[in-house]
Amino acid sequence: MRMAAPGKCFLVTGPPGVGKTTLIIRVLETLKISNPNLKVQGFYTSEVREAGERAGFEVVTLDGRKGRLASSSISCSESLKWPSVGKYRVDIASFEALALPELQRNQVKEDTDLFIIDEVGKMELFSSSFFPAVLRVLESNIPVLASIPIPKFGRDIPGVARLRNHPGAKIFTLNTCTRDFVKEQICSQLRDLLQKQ
């Protein structure tokens, strides 16, 4: 299997709620200011709130399409068969319908400068097709900016561990004190990498 070149896989990690998705969006916005023609592909995960409380998550493609990833408020008979993470039921079919086409070989555009994958986590990995598709994106040699969860109780999810140990990966650990520093580090390194392409 071909691997991403060293330094082309940027992984943001940190505890839940620390701002991994926000950081990835801010990096993307900053890069687009200095490079308005930047061609980006992929998706991020956004919280869904109801009455001020987190009720689930949705997947949002970089061209604005949205689909459900997980919900705590859906209770139809079909959702009872869905896998769960905490109080959330994971809608694998909805996730796959939106995220997988973004990752499929025939959909990865040759002229893509940067690929965003937020997140490679437990919910997303319930899809048996997701991780192989992520690996194919890494093989494409397009720079990747992705988020991964921090190991829980010292144990990593196997797919996440494989990404974390990927020879092309650079890990950026986020906490409330390092957000701005990490953003600047990633922006600087990606800017340099994109200028060399």
Side-chain angles (χ1 to χ4, degrees):
M1 175 191 292
R2 220 175 72 197
M3 295 294 181
K8 286 203 169 187
C9 179
F10 297 78
L11 300 176
V12 178
T13 190
V18 76
K20 296 182 292 290
T21 298
T22 301
L23 177 114
I24 285 174
I25 292 169
R26 287 179 59 207
V27 165
L28 182 57
E29 289 168 348
T30 301
L31 290 173
K32 282 191 161 202
I33 289 169
S34 61
N35 185 353
N37 297 321
L38 185 71
K39 293 183 177 91
V40 188
Q41 193 172 341
F43 65 89
Y44 63 91
T45 306
S46 179
E47 285 186 353
V48 174
R49 293 195 161 276
E50 293 174 2
E53 297 288 318
R54 184 163 67 189
F57 301 91
E58 66 184 358
V59 176
V60 183
T61 62
L62 297 179
D63 61 8
R65 292 172 289 128
K66 297 178 181 185
R68 180 176 45 234
L69 170 60
S71 177
S72 62
S73 61
I74 294 181
S75 58
C76 63
S77 61
E78 182 183 328
S79 72
L80 297 176
K81 299 174 190 167
W82 297 349
S84 62
V85 175
K87 67 179 184 176
Y88 303 104
R89 294 233 173 241
V90 181
D91 187 343
I92 297 169
S94 172
F95 170 71
E96 288 182 340
L98 199 61
L100 287 183
E102 286 295 302
L103 300 170
Q104 299 300 333
R105 183 168 308 208
N106 59 343
Q107 296 296 322
V108 176
K109 298 171 186 79
E110 288 276 327
D111 62 346
T112 298
D113 298 314
L114 177 64
F115 217 98
I116 304 290
I117 304 173
D118 173 47
E119 131 174 295
V120 180
K122 189 172 184 176
M123 289 182 186
E124 295 82 1
L125 290 169
F126 277 119
S127 163
S128 60
S129 302
F130 177 64
F131 192 69
V134 169
L135 292 178
R136 280 192 299 276
V137 170
L138 289 177
E139 292 168 18
S140 74
N141 217 19
I142 296 169
V144 174
L145 175 57
S147 66
I148 56 174
I150 202 155
K152 196 171 185 177
F153 307 117
R155 294 176 51 199
D156 223 343
I157 301 163
V160 173
R162 192 164 164 198
L163 268 187
R164 189 183 306 279
N165 296 317
H166 190 281
K170 287 185 178 184
I171 310 292
F172 297 86
T173 303
L174 197 59
N175 64 47
T176 54
C177 300
T178 62
R179 282 185 206 143
D180 291 334
F181 176 72
V182 168
K183 176 190 167 261
E184 290 309 316
Q185 260 192 320
I186 294 171
C187 282
S188 173
Q189 291 180 35
L190 273 172
R191 245 187 243 112
D192 290 348
L193 181 63
L194 293 168
Q195 286 175 352
K196 291 175 186 173
Q197 290 189 343

mmCIF file of all heavy atoms in Angstrom, residues 153-175:
data_model
loop_
_atom_site.group_PDB
_atom_site.id
_atom_site.type_symbol
_atom_site.label_atom_id
_atom_site.label_comp_id
_atom_site.label_asym_id
_atom_site.label_seq_id
_atom_site.Cartn_x
_atom_site.Cartn_y
_atom_site.Cartn_z
ATOM 1 N N PHE A 153 -9.084 6.469 28.359
ATOM 2 C CA PHE A 153 -8.526 5.556 29.366
ATOM 3 C C PHE A 153 -7.269 4.871 28.829
ATOM 4 O O PHE A 153 -7.009 3.702 29.103
ATOM 5 C CB PHE A 153 -9.556 4.511 29.816
ATOM 6 C CG PHE A 153 -10.853 5.107 30.278
ATOM 7 C CD1 PHE A 153 -12.034 4.840 29.600
ATOM 8 C CD2 PHE A 153 -10.893 5.958 31.382
ATOM 9 C CE1 PHE A 153 -13.234 5.403 30.011
ATOM 10 C CE2 PHE A 153 -12.100 6.524 31.801
ATOM 11 C CZ PHE A 153 -13.269 6.246 31.119
ATOM 12 N N GLY A 154 -6.501 5.628 28.007
ATOM 13 C CA GLY A 154 -5.256 5.100 27.470
ATOM 14 C C GLY A 154 -5.419 4.117 26.327
ATOM 15 O O GLY A 154 -4.442 3.567 25.840
ATOM 16 N N ARG A 155 -6.661 3.887 25.894
ATOM 17 C CA ARG A 155 -6.910 2.928 24.810
ATOM 18 C C ARG A 155 -7.409 3.667 23.580
ATOM 19 O O ARG A 155 -8.335 4.462 23.662
ATOM 20 C CB ARG A 155 -7.928 1.886 25.250
ATOM 21 C CG ARG A 155 -7.385 0.998 26.371
ATOM 22 C CD ARG A 155 -8.386 0.020 26.887
ATOM 23 N NE ARG A 155 -9.006 -0.745 25.811
ATOM 24 C CZ ARG A 155 -10.140 -1.392 25.955
ATOM 25 N NH1 ARG A 155 -10.785 -1.364 27.100
ATOM 26 N NH2 ARG A 155 -10.651 -2.065 24.950
ATOM 27 N N ASP A 156 -6.779 3.368 22.460
ATOM 28 C CA ASP A 156 -7.148 4.004 21.202
ATOM 29 C C ASP A 156 -8.068 3.086 20.410
ATOM 30 O O ASP A 156 -7.981 1.862 20.515
ATOM 31 C CB ASP A 156 -5.878 4.267 20.388
ATOM 32 C CG ASP A 156 -5.858 5.640 19.735
ATOM 33 O OD1 ASP A 156 -6.928 6.267 19.625
ATOM 34 O OD2 ASP A 156 -4.771 6.071 19.334
ATOM 35 N N ILE A 157 -8.931 3.661 19.612
ATOM 36 C CA ILE A 157 -9.749 2.913 18.658
ATOM 37 C C ILE A 157 -8.778 2.398 17.587
ATOM 38 O O ILE A 157 -7.928 3.161 17.110
ATOM 39 C CB ILE A 157 -10.813 3.835 18.039
ATOM 40 C CG1 ILE A 157 -11.715 4.426 19.134
ATOM 41 C CG2 ILE A 157 -11.629 3.112 16.990
ATOM 42 C CD1 ILE A 157 -12.525 5.635 18.689
ATOM 43 N N PRO A 158 -8.847 1.119 17.191
ATOM 44 C CA PRO A 158 -7.860 0.570 16.247
ATOM 45 C C PRO A 158 -7.627 1.412 14.984
ATOM 46 O O PRO A 158 -6.480 1.664 14.619
ATOM 47 C CB PRO A 158 -8.410 -0.815 15.916
ATOM 48 C CG PRO A 158 -9.167 -1.199 17.148
ATOM 49 C CD PRO A 158 -9.790 0.085 17.646
ATOM 50 N N GLY A 159 -8.676 1.846 14.309
ATOM 51 C CA GLY A 159 -8.502 2.669 13.107
ATOM 52 C C GLY A 159 -7.816 3.989 13.418
ATOM 53 O O GLY A 159 -6.966 4.469 12.658
ATOM 54 N N VAL A 160 -8.174 4.580 14.545
ATOM 55 C CA VAL A 160 -7.561 5.850 14.955
ATOM 56 C C VAL A 160 -6.082 5.627 15.275
ATOM 57 O O VAL A 160 -5.218 6.419 14.889
ATOM 58 C CB VAL A 160 -8.314 6.462 16.161
ATOM 59 C CG1 VAL A 160 -7.590 7.689 16.690
ATOM 60 C CG2 VAL A 160 -9.750 6.809 15.770
ATOM 61 N N ALA A 161 -5.777 4.516 15.954
ATOM 62 C CA ALA A 161 -4.377 4.201 16.279
ATOM 63 C C ALA A 161 -3.564 4.039 14.999
ATOM 64 O O ALA A 161 -2.420 4.493 14.918
ATOM 65 C CB ALA A 161 -4.309 2.932 17.127
ATOM 66 N N ARG A 162 -4.177 3.413 14.016
ATOM 67 C CA ARG A 162 -3.476 3.209 12.738
ATOM 68 C C ARG A 162 -3.161 4.549 12.071
ATOM 69 O O ARG A 162 -2.076 4.742 11.527
ATOM 70 C CB ARG A 162 -4.330 2.328 11.834
ATOM 71 C CG ARG A 162 -3.581 1.826 10.640
ATOM 72 C CD ARG A 162 -4.297 0.669 9.994
ATOM 73 N NE ARG A 162 -3.760 0.460 8.662
ATOM 74 C CZ ARG A 162 -4.370 -0.216 7.734
ATOM 75 N NH1 ARG A 162 -5.545 -0.771 7.977
ATOM 76 N NH2 ARG A 162 -3.822 -0.366 6.552
ATOM 77 N N LEU A 163 -4.104 5.486 12.125
ATOM 78 C CA LEU A 163 -3.848 6.820 11.572
ATOM 79 C C LEU A 163 -2.790 7.546 12.389
ATOM 80 O O LEU A 163 -1.887 8.171 11.831
ATOM 81 C CB LEU A 163 -5.132 7.655 11.596
ATOM 82 C CG LEU A 163 -6.031 7.656 10.396
ATOM 83 C CD1 LEU A 163 -7.138 8.678 10.564
ATOM 84 C CD2 LEU A 163 -5.283 7.898 9.110
ATOM 85 N N ARG A 164 -2.928 7.485 13.710
ATOM 86 C CA ARG A 164 -1.996 8.165 14.609
ATOM 87 C C ARG A 164 -0.554 7.693 14.353
ATOM 88 O O ARG A 164 0.385 8.473 14.449
ATOM 89 C CB ARG A 164 -2.397 7.877 16.063
ATOM 90 C CG ARG A 164 -1.652 8.682 17.100
ATOM 91 C CD ARG A 164 -2.065 8.283 18.513
ATOM 92 N NE ARG A 164 -3.488 8.346 18.765
ATOM 93 C CZ ARG A 164 -4.161 9.449 19.060
ATOM 94 N NH1 ARG A 164 -3.539 10.602 19.136
ATOM 95 N NH2 ARG A 164 -5.462 9.401 19.296
ATOM 96 N N ASN A 165 -0.399 6.403 14.036
ATOM 97 C CA ASN A 165 0.928 5.828 13.806
ATOM 98 C C ASN A 165 1.334 5.828 12.336
ATOM 99 O O ASN A 165 2.369 5.271 11.985
ATOM 100 C CB ASN A 165 0.967 4.397 14.370
ATOM 101 C CG ASN A 165 0.790 4.405 15.867
ATOM 102 O OD1 ASN A 165 1.366 5.227 16.564
ATOM 103 N ND2 ASN A 165 -0.021 3.491 16.364
ATOM 104 N N HIS A 166 0.520 6.427 11.496
ATOM 105 C CA HIS A 166 0.799 6.493 10.063
ATOM 106 C C HIS A 166 2.127 7.229 9.838
ATOM 107 O O HIS A 166 2.369 8.272 10.448
ATOM 108 C CB HIS A 166 -0.346 7.238 9.372
ATOM 109 C CG HIS A 166 -0.306 7.178 7.904
ATOM 110 N ND1 HIS A 166 0.527 7.968 7.151
ATOM 111 C CD2 HIS A 166 -0.998 6.417 7.021
ATOM 112 C CE1 HIS A 166 0.342 7.702 5.872
ATOM 113 N NE2 HIS A 166 -0.580 6.771 5.770
ATOM 114 N N PRO A 167 2.999 6.698 8.977
ATOM 115 C CA PRO A 167 4.302 7.332 8.781
ATOM 116 C C PRO A 167 4.239 8.760 8.221
ATOM 117 O O PRO A 167 5.179 9.523 8.388
ATOM 118 C CB PRO A 167 5.034 6.394 7.803
ATOM 119 C CG PRO A 167 4.005 5.486 7.247
ATOM 120 C CD PRO A 167 2.838 5.476 8.174
ATOM 121 N N GLY A 168 3.154 9.126 7.579
ATOM 122 C CA GLY A 168 3.028 10.480 7.043
ATOM 123 C C GLY A 168 2.339 11.451 7.975
ATOM 124 O O GLY A 168 2.105 12.602 7.619
ATOM 125 N N ALA A 169 1.994 11.002 9.199
ATOM 126 C CA ALA A 169 1.166 11.816 10.100
ATOM 127 C C ALA A 169 1.978 12.746 10.999
ATOM 128 O O ALA A 169 3.029 12.375 11.509
ATOM 129 C CB ALA A 169 0.306 10.911 10.964
ATOM 130 N N LYS A 170 1.434 13.939 11.173
ATOM 131 C CA LYS A 170 1.914 14.882 12.176
ATOM 132 C C LYS A 170 0.746 15.090 13.133
ATOM 133 O O LYS A 170 -0.358 15.423 12.700
ATOM 134 C CB LYS A 170 2.276 16.228 11.553
ATOM 135 C CG LYS A 170 3.539 16.224 10.745
ATOM 136 C CD LYS A 170 3.846 17.646 10.295
ATOM 137 C CE LYS A 170 5.139 17.685 9.518
ATOM 138 N NZ LYS A 170 5.500 19.065 9.162
ATOM 139 N N ILE A 171 0.990 14.894 14.413
ATOM 140 C CA ILE A 171 -0.067 14.998 15.427
ATOM 141 C C ILE A 171 0.006 16.373 16.106
ATOM 142 O O ILE A 171 1.078 16.800 16.531
ATOM 143 C CB ILE A 171 0.090 13.906 16.511
ATOM 144 C CG1 ILE A 171 0.260 12.521 15.893
ATOM 145 C CG2 ILE A 171 -1.059 13.962 17.506
ATOM 146 C CD1 ILE A 171 -0.934 11.976 15.195
ATOM 147 N N PHE A 172 -1.145 17.023 16.220
ATOM 148 C CA PHE A 172 -1.254 18.299 16.922
ATOM 149 C C PHE A 172 -2.276 18.116 18.038
ATOM 150 O O PHE A 172 -3.460 17.902 17.761
ATOM 151 C CB PHE A 172 -1.711 19.407 15.967
ATOM 152 C CG PHE A 172 -0.736 19.666 14.850
ATOM 153 C CD1 PHE A 172 -0.793 18.916 13.678
ATOM 154 C CD2 PHE A 172 0.242 20.630 14.977
ATOM 155 C CE1 PHE A 172 0.104 19.135 12.650
ATOM 156 C CE2 PHE A 172 1.154 20.859 13.952
ATOM 157 C CZ PHE A 172 1.084 20.107 12.784
ATOM 158 N N THR A 173 -1.810 18.161 19.284
ATOM 159 C CA THR A 173 -2.703 17.969 20.421
ATOM 160 C C THR A 173 -3.247 19.322 20.866
ATOM 161 O O THR A 173 -2.486 20.247 21.160
ATOM 162 C CB THR A 173 -1.968 17.271 21.579
ATOM 163 O OG1 THR A 173 -1.460 16.023 21.078
ATOM 164 C CG2 THR A 173 -2.915 16.989 22.737
ATOM 165 N N LEU A 174 -4.560 19.391 20.910
ATOM 166 C CA LEU A 174 -5.258 20.637 21.200
ATOM 167 C C LEU A 174 -5.749 20.644 22.642
ATOM 168 O O LEU A 174 -6.260 19.642 23.131
ATOM 169 C CB LEU A 174 -6.449 20.747 20.245
ATOM 170 C CG LEU A 174 -7.122 22.084 20.049
ATOM 171 C CD1 LEU A 174 -6.144 23.120 19.528
ATOM 172 C CD2 LEU A 174 -8.281 21.938 19.073
ATOM 173 N N ASN A 175 -5.577 21.773 23.301
ATOM 174 C CA ASN A 175 -6.243 22.022 24.585
ATOM 175 C C ASN A 175 -6.616 23.499 24.596
ATOM 176 O O ASN A 175 -6.275 24.238 23.668
ATOM 177 C CB ASN A 175 -5.375 21.602 25.789
ATOM 178 C CG ASN A 175 -4.100 22.394 25.908
ATOM 179 O OD1 ASN A 175 -4.101 23.617 25.819
ATOM 180 N ND2 ASN A 175 -2.983 21.686 26.089
#
